[in-house]
Amino acid sequence: MKDHMLCETPSLTRRSILSTSGALFAWANMPRLASAAGARDPRFVTIILRGALDGLSAVGPIGDPDYAGLHGDIALSLTGPDAARPLDSFFALNPGMPNFHRLFGARQAAVVHAVATGYRERSHFDGQDVLESGYPGPGFATSGWLNRALAQLPAGQSVRQRGGLGVGVVTPLVLRGAAPVVGWAPQIVQPAGDDLGRRLLELYQHGDPALGDALARGLDIDKIASREMNGEKGSRGGMDSVAGMIQAARGAAKLLAADDGPRVAALAFDGWDTHANEGGPRGRLAQLLSGLDGAFAEFEKGLGDKWRDTFVIAVTEFGRTARINGTVGTDHGTATVAFLAGGAVAGGRVIADWPGLKDRQLFQNRDLAPTTDLRAVLKGALSDHLGVGAAALGTQVFPDSIAVKPMKDLVAA
Amino acid sequence: MANDPKSGWTALNRFGFGARGDGDLAAAAADPRGFLLAEVDQPGIALLDGPGLASTPSLLKALFDEQEKRRLEREGADRAKIASALQVVQGAEPPQMQMAATGDAAAPTQAAKPPPSVEQIAYRAEALARVQRATAARAGFVERLVCFWSNHFCVSVAKGQFIRVSAGAFEREAIRPHALGRFVDMLKAVEQHPSMIFYLDNQQSIGPESKAGLNRKRGLNENLAREIMELHTLGVDGGYTQADVTAFARVITGWTFVGREGRLGPPGSPLFFANFHEPGAQTVFGKTYSQSDREQGLAVLDDLARAPATARHIATKFAKHFVADDPPPALVDRLAQNFTATQGDLKALAKTLIASPEAWSAPAAKLRNPYEFLVASARVTGRTPVDAGPILGGLATLGQPLWSPAGPNGFADTAASWISPEGMKARLDISWQIASRIPDMANPVDMLDKIAGAAASTETRQAVARAESKQQALALLLMSPEMQRR
């Protein structure tokens, strides 16, 4: 707190080093890695978007005749002052993501749409448990699939050897577990995010106006102060702000780029729970997406020549309702998008088995229906990019998921 | 009072440090008053001891020795200024980046820092022991009483190393043994303790007609005498005059402590130094005291402790702290009468508060002070602090640095004084830090049920349940009126 200084230069500390006990798979059994004869030195980054991203406002199915009607004022469109950026003849990208659009054009980015984990309820807490733990249901929140994937790699393999990087004061669950992980946070003292402040003000407004008045004034003062210090507009730099996301990605990229640095990283960005005034092509969601977009750009820049062998995937616990609600936002839903970026991504495409948006096509007449299991996407990436074996993926990494086959050809040849 | 959830909540929050969620809310609800009485009646409950907690004389001896060593080093350094300058440069901390811990461990050790000083080590050990005790306490009422009396008889570590090294020992030696004992005993223990003597400068106070006074051109220092009357006993409107203060200051000349050389006893132990003591009878508050030596001052304290103004002053402050900024007059009257009738029996005073209907019916309008808030947060999250750093840092950020009030009147004790814009913003940031550092947490909705149960408002329940992550939910829970108010 007071004696903790802020800083921007990342470095590493080994939190825990696990002895490299018996390798389950021999190095030579890894097809892609073996064919590259050790020339590859892959990086893998997972970004958890906490709060449930509205996939239909992030990547709009503008070719679907029912889209504009359903998603109302926050639907993307190819016309107007905030025109979405076309990805193909059917999908368009939120205008807040110019970098991702550029990468997509360079075949270094892809989108998976109508994707969801196996979780079909609508609790953030449980949904995040499932997303990050990799288990079929909630309640197994002690280790994450990315950590268990690391643990499956043969000892001596560079990814296993260099271990994982958890960004944030606490490593995201997805990377927690027995395999060695180092931690780094852009600031040891993360200020509370704007969204948390908003929610608390709302609680006080009903329950304790005196506390609400004081807090509102305190947040205003703080905004002015941070504006004066940073010479930029009012963000407190939390993980739900553009500045916070960019800062986190910049530091992580620097660490991942180092020859002796970690090869795998996990970050968590907050604020995606857009129940009210979500905005579509502009506004709150677009702002958040521009933070994520900036993070992709930071990874590209910071990783330098390592970028060509990098796979970044941004995932969220579930999507949001296809229809907008009474407060120009969306409520908890089911299927959504996953963003893939990096030189190792076989990009330039939106991967979707499109379910349609007619009432009867919606999941429970409410949400975009899931047609792709997110675990298939993750398995495809872990298998072809990091060389995690199929048997381990179906049992230890994503328990009880042998039936979910890894998606093929996600990784550039 | 059979099974009363609201009173169970009141027992834990108004009187204690908040629920831990280990079944305590149900136990308190089953018998709210009995829940508190059981704690108050537990023998030795207010005492605190443990590894790393030393006595005031041994702490002060260590400090004196270190100060002497530093002095010698400085003198040595003066002889080799160039070398010394070089050393300072080399020893300066390089710009650091911060590493985050996985889990809530402290940040990893940074580049070579000077080893912690005697007073830092003691201060941190005392702080940690105090917070751990409060976090683990069943209700926490007794620890709240200790905090109340410690703030009433405050010293401040801002005064320097002497207080920093001894503030915790002062509380353990002068406050805790009497927090459920007699007021006059606490008063006497406090005013003779080296920490208080040093804080209010009495070691410098010399009777003008004393041996030392006749030899030197130095004299009285009224600081301690005035604050005893104004703050510790009678209160500012207690009816005493400047003449009373001066006379009382003469009475307590010679109340000091043994210095580093240890000529008159173990260094750092309390001392009556006759050479400083003003001879002769003194008239204080309408009564003449002709006792000799230390007995004269103890007799004045006896009378101050039983003065009606003192009973009134204590009763008002007690009710303000526990019940309301503007406490019900009937409650204050009852507490004052009890104080007088029992000759300042502080356990009886605590029990009178428990028995008072006003303490159970007044709305929860007080705001937890920063210490209460951080302890309550540690209890809710079930995480007993293992390092004093975050707590001390948090207290400083929130405006209540431990044992370091701005003046001898202690930290403010009204809701308005803590409900400030910057204070609430700092609470929010700290709540987020606490929440975001917990890797595997239970569902915060369940936590709310365990600590507030039926006393939780619908709004709070919804805000927690609808949060976008468990971390955000816990931060909202920590900031909810149920956690902030008491």
Side-chain angles (χ1 to χ4, degrees):
Chain A
M1 311 204 179
K2 202 174 190 182
D3 51 348
H4 290 143
M5 48 192 285
L6 305 180
C7 84
E8 295 185 349
T9 316
S11 114
L12 288 181
T13 297
R14 289 269 154 192
R15 308 299 310 176
S16 60
I17 305 284
L18 198 78
S19 68
T20 46
S21 53
L24 293 177
F25 298 95
W27 177 248
N29 289 346
M30 309 285 150
R32 278 178 193 275
L33 295 175
S35 69
R40 293 190 63 218
D41 187 7
R43 271 39 175 201
F44 184 79
V45 178
T46 303
I47 303 174
I48 304 291
L49 308 177
R50 292 213 177 110
L53 164 68
D54 179 6
L56 291 176
S57 286
V59 179
I62 48 165
D64 189 310
D66 298 302
Y67 172 60
L70 266 184
H71 228 49
D73 289 349
I74 62 176
L76 302 182
S77 146
L78 289 178
T79 56
D82 300 299
R85 299 162 192 270
L87 294 174
D88 58 23
S89 60
F90 192 81
F91 293 105
L93 182 68
N94 190 292
M97 303 188 74
N99 286 300
F100 190 85
H101 190 254
R102 174 178 54 78
L103 290 168
F104 190 94
R107 299 185 177 281
Q108 293 192 350
V111 172
V112 183
H113 217 318
V115 67
T117 67
Y119 177 73
R120 289 292 171 272
E121 305 296 321
R122 295 188 179 92
S123 151
H124 290 302
F125 308 159
D126 288 347
Q128 286 163 25
D129 268 10
V130 171
L131 171 69
E132 297 189 58
S133 73
Y135 278 77
F140 298 91
T142 54
S143 69
W145 54 262
L146 186 50
N147 188 287
R148 293 194 302 275
L150 278 185
Q152 295 304 321
L153 294 172
Q157 198 259 31
S158 73
V159 173
R160 163 80 185 263
Q161 221 173 9
R162 301 294 175 197
L165 168 71
V167 178
V169 288
V170 166
T171 293
L173 172 62
V174 67
L175 191 52
R176 290 209 295 272
V181 171
V182 297
W184 171 77
Q187 303 176 355
I188 198 86
V189 179
Q190 273 297 332
D194 295 342
D195 181 50
L196 173 56
R198 267 195 300 272
R199 286 171 190 253
L200 185 58
L201 286 174
E202 198 188 321
L203 170 58
Y204 284 166
Q205 193 186 337
H206 300 294
D208 201 326
L211 295 188
D213 288 350
L215 179 66
R217 278 184 290 144
L219 291 172
D220 281 349
I221 293 164
D222 192 53
K223 282 226 171 71
I224 294 163
S226 73
R227 193 157 53 221
E228 279 170 1
M229 276 190 307
N230 302 331
E232 56 191 47
K233 269 193 290 182
S235 172
R236 313 186 67 216
M239 280 302 170
D240 64 352
S241 74
V242 174
M245 294 184 206
I246 286 177
Q247 199 183 16
R250 184 178 300 156
K254 213 176 266 184
L255 295 168
L256 287 169
D259 287 332
D260 57 353
R263 296 297 192 263
V264 165
L267 299 77
F269 295 164
D270 304 327
W272 306 88
D273 194 19
T274 48
H275 283 283
N277 304 319
E278 172 175 324
R282 76 165 109 187
R284 174 132 166 256
L285 179 66
Q287 186 78 2
L288 289 166
L289 286 170
S290 77
L292 176 62
D293 191 62
F296 287 131
E298 289 296 334
F299 277 115
E300 181 193 15
K301 193 167 69 185
L303 281 162
D305 59 359
K306 313 286 192 332
W307 174 251
R308 68 185 159 81
D309 214 356
T310 295
F311 196 113
V312 183
I313 182 163
V315 293
T316 187
E317 68 262 30
F318 43 71
R320 311 193 67 82
T321 48
R323 299 183 190 91
I324 59 171
N325 63 19
T327 53
V328 205
T330 47
D331 296 319
H332 301 180
T334 307
T336 180
V337 293
F339 289 108
L340 283 51
V345 172
R349 59 208 176 113
V350 179
I351 302 162
D353 175 5
W354 192 246
L357 291 174
K358 301 206 178 302
D359 288 356
R360 62 184 160 74
Q361 294 169 321
L362 296 176
F363 179 71
Q364 297 179 351
N365 188 21
R366 165 188 166 107
D367 310 331
L368 177 62
T371 53
T372 299
D373 192 316
L374 181 62
R375 287 171 295 182
V377 181
L378 299 171
K379 282 180 174 186
L382 291 175
S383 155
D384 293 350
H385 187 58
L386 295 185
V388 183
L393 285 172
T395 53
Q396 280 100 336
V397 179
F398 296 99
D400 302 325
S401 72
I402 291 173
V404 181
K405 300 296 174 211
M407 187 177 276
K408 290 193 192 320
D409 301 322
L410 283 176
V411 176
Chain B
M1 222 192 280
N3 203 18
D4 178 350
K6 188 178 172 297
S7 295
W9 188 87
T10 303
L12 279 159
N13 289 277
R14 167 153 300 155
F15 292 86
F17 269 114
R20 289 162 46 83
D22 56 3
D24 48 1
L25 185 63
D31 179 8
R33 290 173 185 175
F35 184 73
L36 298 171
L37 289 170
E39 190 178 79
V40 169
D41 282 330
Q42 208 174 308
I45 178 85
L47 299 176
L48 180 61
D49 202 357
L53 307 184
S55 71
T56 297
S58 70
L59 288 164
L60 286 173
K61 166 119 180 33
L63 176 67
F64 295 156
D65 290 349
E66 191 164 288
Q67 286 173 334
E68 179 66 4
K69 199 172 132 230
R70 286 176 203 162
R71 189 182 65 79
L72 292 172
E73 277 168 5
R74 262 199 312 279
E75 284 176 4
D78 283 345
R79 286 192 293 273
K81 265 186 184 162
I82 296 165
S84 150
L86 199 66
Q87 211 171 24
V88 169
V89 170
Q90 285 167 346
E93 271 185 79
Q96 290 287 328
M97 78 245 158
Q98 288 293 338
M99 291 298 307
T102 50
D104 59 354
T109 333
Q110 301 177 352
K113 275 186 179 173
S117 60
V118 168
E119 69 274 13
Q120 279 171 323
I121 292 169
Y123 179 64
R124 294 174 76 94
E126 296 279 359
L128 184 60
R130 190 191 208 243
V131 171
Q132 286 179 336
R133 165 64 67 86
T135 306
R138 181 64 170 155
F141 182 37
V142 173
E143 287 304 299
R144 286 277 309 279
L145 290 168
V146 168
C147 290
F148 171 81
W149 290 114
S150 186
N151 195 49
H152 178 75
F153 288 116
C154 70
V155 293
S156 176
V157 301
K159 180 103 173 178
Q161 297 165 348
F162 190 104
I163 311 276
R164 189 171 293 274
V165 84
S166 64
F170 164 74
E171 186 178 283
R172 286 185 294 107
E173 294 163 354
I175 303 290
R176 288 182 176 274
H178 312 292
L180 295 168
R182 297 174 67 221
F183 177 77
V184 68
D185 294 336
M186 189 187 292
L187 181 67
K188 288 175 180 174
V190 163
E191 313 303 358
Q192 299 178 79
H193 196 282
S195 211
M196 182 62 79
I197 296 282
F198 184 89
Y199 178 49
L200 296 177
D201 308 317
N202 207 60
Q203 83 282 9
Q204 301 173 17
S205 185
I206 299 172
E209 304 295 324
S210 69
K211 269 190 201 162
L214 293 171
N215 288 340
R216 305 188 202 180
K217 297 225 178 319
R218 300 180 58 189
L220 278 185
N221 183 314
E222 295 177 354
N223 201 7
L224 179 61
R226 179 183 308 282
E227 303 306 11
I228 290 175
M229 294 177 129
E230 177 184 327
L231 299 173
H232 298 171
T233 60
L234 303 172
V236 68
D237 300 320
Y240 59 91
T241 63
Q242 176 56 43
D244 290 321
V245 171
T246 307
F248 184 33
R250 286 195 203 100
V251 169
I252 56 172
T253 44
W255 289 30
T256 180
F257 50 84
V258 180
R260 184 179 63 81
E261 298 82 3
R263 281 193 299 264
L264 296 166
S269 57
L271 172 71
F272 178 82
F273 189 42
N275 281 0
F276 280 17
H277 186 65
E278 181 76 357
Q282 303 291 342
T283 300
V284 182
F285 214 41
K287 184 170 167 182
T288 301
Y289 296 86
S290 49
Q291 295 86 343
S292 58
D293 299 347
R294 193 191 278 278
E295 293 308 315
Q296 190 179 32
L298 294 176
V300 176
L301 291 183
D302 275 324
D303 288 334
L304 288 174
R306 58 175 161 249
T310 298
R312 191 93 211 147
H313 180 210
I314 298 295
T316 305
K317 222 173 151 179
F318 202 70
K320 274 188 179 181
H321 175 75
F322 282 101
V323 179
D325 289 352
D326 190 9
L331 174 65
V332 175
D333 289 347
R334 195 177 314 119
L335 291 168
Q337 282 159 15
N338 177 268
F339 188 91
T340 302
T342 64
Q343 298 185 325
D345 181 335
L346 300 183
K347 189 192 272 195
L349 190 72
K351 289 185 173 181
T352 302
L353 183 71
I354 294 172
S356 293
E358 298 88 345
W360 300 91
S361 60
K366 298 280 291 187
L367 193 77
R368 281 202 162 114
N369 69 33
Y371 184 79
E372 291 161 7
F373 166 55
L374 291 179
V375 170
S377 300
R379 288 166 67 92
V380 160
T381 56
R383 299 176 90 80
T384 302
V386 291
D387 174 20
I391 294 275
L392 290 172
L395 287 172
T397 303
L398 293 171
Q400 197 185 22
L402 185 64
W403 295 314
S404 194
N409 50 344
F411 288 106
D413 200 15
T414 59
S417 60
W418 295 117
I419 304 178
S420 65
E422 61 279 15
M424 292 307 297
K425 189 209 64 114
R427 281 182 197 225
L428 175 60
D429 282 342
I430 283 182
S431 295
W432 173 246
Q433 282 157 37
I434 292 169
S436 62
R437 273 159 211 264
I438 298 180
D440 303 310
M441 75 169 85
N443 189 328
V445 180
D446 299 338
M447 293 163 80
L448 177 64
D449 282 336
K450 283 183 183 165
I451 63 145
S457 70
T458 313
E459 290 82 9
T460 296
R461 193 173 297 278
Q462 282 179 354
V464 172
R466 289 176 182 172
E468 72 166 9
S469 64
K470 283 186 192 171
Q471 284 73 22
Q472 192 184 57
L474 178 58
L476 285 165
L477 169 59
L478 296 178
M479 289 305 291
S480 67
E482 286 85 343
M483 277 291 293
Q484 294 294 329
R485 300 281 190 176
R486 63 167 175 82

